[in-house]
Amino acid sequence: MANLLEIKDAQRQIGDSFALRNVNLAVAPGEIVGFVGANGAGKTTTIRAALGLMKLDAGEVRLFGEPFGPNAPDSTQRHVRSRIGVVFDTCPYPAEFTIAQMERCLAPAFPTWDKAQFWRLAEQFSLYRKAKVKDLSRGMGMKLQLAVALSHKADLLVLDEATAGLDPIARDDVLATLREFATQEGHGVLLSSHITSDLDRIADRVVAIDDGRIIFNMPREEITDMAGVAHCTAEQAHTILECVEEALVERREFSCDVLVPNRFEFSEAFPEIPCDHASIEDYLRFTLKGITQ
Amino acid sequence: MKAALKSEFVILSTFMPAFAVILVPVCAIMALAMGNCIPAVACVSAMVPMISMFSLTSYDDQNGWKRYRASLPFSRRDVIAARYGSILLASLIAAACATMLGIALNAILPSFVHEFETMPTTEVAAGSLFATFSVVIMVAIGEPFLIKFGATKGVRYFMCFAVLFFCICLAMLKQTFDPMLLHNLDTWADAHLSLLFVSLTVVSLALFALSCAISTTIYQRKDL
């Protein structure tokens, strides 16, 4: 089965700087792809390009195997977008609208709109019919977007920093919903976030971007289940860097932390050096700031 | 396109009832003051196209609605066609409602105001449509500014353009000023009212369609 989303060698210049430089990203069916990066790294720009909201200077975007972009044929834009559920970081609906009015406004847009499903989700998320969008908290606004995204039989969910600002309980609910969505056949999720702990929990693959460039793209297990962070002296760090390929060191005032790709092999080779499991945040930090000598 | 039009029209229909509540007494008071319902009906009909245009544009800039709407299953052409279609539809509905209001005022007000001039229904309807299509021309000129620059800058540039256009017309008129010009125009218009009305309708709809094409081209090139 074709990838749900494929971005190949995407390039885009905005002003004097490159917003995207040879970005490659794919979401396969059944996959939750975590898209991580600092503020201003290019996550939202990549998502805008993927949704055909922005033109690329070079490269291509394919959605459900079809070439896509702002200049795609009208019929392609309609039927491709009907299969995508989008959740942005802020609730985009007009502030004066009630939830019932928003449902009436959005329902005609989707040929596969399921009104019963929407109100079921609204009840589950405690969204009341007469509540105005402007009175919703950030978390409730996000849940409203999610209810819309899950009510038109979408195959791909694209969430742009959707969990930022949510309380832990709301975040748990959302992550559980996304996990359940992705387990259904032919579904996938692209979840962009700078909150890496969310991705630790549900991502199947992690793609990191910095300054418009993809800096790593790997299965989440390789980071959280295999990689490790060794805590050692400078002298030990020097030895580790000579012996372990792809190790990265972060030097502190009185000690060093070394990212190793396989903490089990490392522990066998260096049993005297403590080595913790690595998180996505650690991996990102080391990739951006770590050095190899 | 039908889906986009339905969606856009739902947005319009959420605030139009509130305007109706304001416009009905405005129309009645104007009719009372002028002793004739046609100026009142024309005034109310003229307001709706502009209100619709500016209100829909103001929603675009709220909370990122413009970007979210672009991610819905509409092509960019659909979005613009729906914008123009909903403004025109709302204007025609408003013109019909204003005409019915004028007919009602014609029936009610003579009982209270002796000098009130009862006008034929066809003239009330013509007055309403004349005003509507005149303002539709202004919408046709203004909408591309709003699509290109957004609500805030678009309004400023549109107003500057309108004032500049007005000043240029005045300057040109001053060069070719004929004291009898207005009188001759008035006489001609009285004699050819139907032709004038049909011409205005055709010109306004043609300009509206051209404006829609221009806005579509602008919108298709925008990053959202």
Side-chain angles (χ1 to χ4, degrees), chain A residues 199-212:
Chain A
L199 305 182
D200 280 332
R201 288 156 70 176
I202 66 165
D204 298 306
R205 171 172 285 278
V206 180
V207 180
I209 188 169
D210 185 59
D211 195 25

Side-chain angles (χ1 to χ4, degrees), chain A residues 12 48 52-55 70 74 77-78 81-82 86 88 91-95 97 101 104-105 108-110 148, chain B residues 3 6-7 10-11 14 59 62-65 67-68 70-78 220-221 223-224:
Chain A
R12 174 62 200 256
R48 285 166 66 200
L53 302 179
M54 195 180 80
K55 283 188 279 297
D74 290 358
Q77 292 190 43
R78 289 181 203 118
R81 288 205 179 103
S82 69
V86 179
F88 288 120
C91 188
Y93 308 126
F97 279 36
Q101 285 170 333
R104 281 203 300 277
C105 175
F110 298 100
V148 170
Chain B
K6 273 187 201 169
S7 183
V10 165
I11 297 176
T14 56
Y59 280 122
Q62 268 189 40
N63 300 336
W65 170 245
R67 180 181 288 179
Y68 184 84
S71 72
L72 295 175
F74 305 139
S75 66
R76 293 206 180 194
R77 202 188 315 266
D78 291 342
Q220 281 176 331
R221 290 184 188 159
D223 285 337
L224 297 168

Side-chain angles (χ1 to χ4, degrees), chain A residues 63-74:
Chain A
L63 279 163
F64 311 107
E66 290 186 65
F68 192 74
N71 297 323
D74 290 358

